[in-house]
Amino acid sequence: MLKYMRLYGHFFKQQMKVVLEYRVDFIIGIISTILYQSTSILFLSIIFNYITEIRHWSFYEMLFIYGIAGTGRSIHHIFFDNLWVIGSQYIRTGNFDRLLVRPINPLFHLIADRVQIDGFGQLIIGLAILLSAMPHLTIQWSIINILLLILMIISSGLIFVAVNLFFSTFSFWIIDSFSLTLAAFWISDFARYPITIYNKTIRFIITWIIPYAFTAFYPAALFISHDGYKDLAILTPIVAIISIGASYYFWKIGIKHYVGTGT
């Protein structure tokens, strides 16, 4: 593990050197992501100009859900964004062979091959939303609660990674699973709102099939006193570990079916 941490540090530094060669692009990428993410908050604020709550969730409680989702998603966006292009840039081109002949785990190499700078913009806006919402919530922010929130955010990020890894793995059979992965990813937007506004079918899907509800709603419910959700909320780290384990197992099955396509 320490070997891979040191190795990733070298990959990360090299990627950042490349990125910072074009500093204007770096800044524009971050700003554009912040502006894009801000539109969702603007939309939410417009809604709350006409109503006081959504199914007993106030504006700042909704912001808290958004903040957890945004910061969790930024972990995936910054460090694991290369999963999106495994089909188009590695399998279709035959470039995946390069990863297989290196003396390191090919999944690690795939992940370390890219740092997505736009994700830093998502991290900034996610943290800004959290810091804006937290003073307005009736929560005692002790050290334990802050550490617990960090754990929930990390777990949220791992679930995003697990879902994308699972659907990206289909590229070993269909060459490029980008459309499939994107379709699954957009389901995560459901989790940025209280799941009580959805019917039982949608709640079941985003809780137990594609567990996006554990990326935002349930972690928020752990801190906000809404009856019936804290028992599920405390399962968030366990769901994250199980999801990562299941996705990695599926990845190992997929890699056994890899057949080089060439260019």
Side-chain angles (χ1 to χ4, degrees):
M1 181 62 72
L2 290 176
K3 169 191 170 183
Y4 277 104
M5 290 176 66
R6 289 195 297 267
L7 189 58
Y8 186 83
H10 290 299
F11 272 97
F12 187 84
K13 284 190 293 185
Q14 295 306 314
Q15 289 290 323
M16 291 307 298
K17 286 179 182 178
V18 172
V19 166
L20 293 176
E21 282 293 317
Y22 306 93
R23 297 189 180 184
V24 175
D25 287 345
F26 175 77
I27 295 171
I28 291 175
I30 290 178
I31 293 175
S32 63
T33 303
I34 291 174
L35 292 175
Y36 174 76
Q37 295 297 325
S38 298
T39 57
S40 297
I41 304 305
L42 178 61
F43 173 73
L44 188 65
S45 63
I46 292 173
I47 292 176
F48 274 91
N49 282 334
Y50 298 95
I51 61 176
T52 57
E53 60 181 36
I54 297 178
R55 288 294 179 95
H56 308 298
W57 289 75
S58 70
F59 175 68
Y60 288 105
E61 289 173 341
M62 292 283 290
L63 278 188
F64 191 59
I65 297 176
Y66 264 73
I68 293 176
T71 48
R73 188 180 291 188
S74 71
I75 295 173
H76 168 270
H77 198 174
I78 296 170
F79 302 106
F80 299 90
D81 200 65
N82 218 25
L83 292 174
W84 285 99
V85 298
I86 179 176
S88 60
Q89 295 189 18
Y90 289 86
I91 294 178
R92 187 183 297 278
T93 63
N95 201 29
F96 193 73
D97 294 349
R98 174 174 61 90
L99 307 188
L100 294 176
V101 299
R102 300 287 174 81
I104 55 177
N105 185 295
L107 179 58
F108 169 83
H109 199 334
L110 174 71
I111 292 167
D113 248 1
R114 183 182 185 185
V115 175
Q116 180 53 268
I117 59 172
D118 294 355
F120 289 104
Q122 189 163 52
L123 176 62
I124 291 170
I125 191 67
L127 290 174
I129 293 170
L130 276 178
L131 293 174
S132 297
M134 288 166 65
H136 298 275
L137 303 176
T138 56
I139 303 172
Q140 296 295 325
W141 288 109
S142 63
I143 296 297
I144 293 177
N145 274 343
I146 292 174
L147 292 175
L148 189 58
L149 178 60
I150 293 172
L151 175 62
M152 292 295 115
I153 291 171
I154 293 173
S155 299
S156 170
L158 290 178
I159 292 171
F160 278 115
V161 172
V163 173
N164 268 34
L165 175 60
F166 181 85
F167 285 99
S168 295
T169 298
F170 281 101
S171 293
F172 289 117
W173 289 276
I174 62 177
I175 306 302
D176 189 355
S177 63
F178 177 82
S179 297
L180 181 63
T181 307
L182 183 63
F185 185 76
W186 283 119
I187 295 175
S188 65
D189 284 347
F190 285 100
R192 294 193 297 180
Y193 301 91
I195 66 170
T196 52
I197 68 176
Y198 306 122
N199 61 42
K200 290 182 179 180
T201 301
I202 294 178
R203 292 203 298 264
F204 180 81
I205 291 172
I206 64 175
T207 297
W208 303 116
I209 305 301
I210 304 178
Y212 279 132
F214 288 96
T215 64
F217 174 75
Y218 288 127
L222 182 64
F223 299 93
I224 300 171
S225 298
H226 283 268
D227 295 336
Y229 301 110
K230 287 192 175 183
D231 290 342
L232 279 175
I234 60 176
L235 296 178
T236 299
I238 298 174
V239 171
I241 292 171
I242 293 174
S243 298
I244 284 289
S247 294
Y248 185 63
Y249 179 75
F250 186 54
W251 162 270
K252 291 197 294 185
I253 294 174
I255 206 170
K256 291 177 182 178
H257 290 80
Y258 170 67
V259 178
T261 60
T263 56

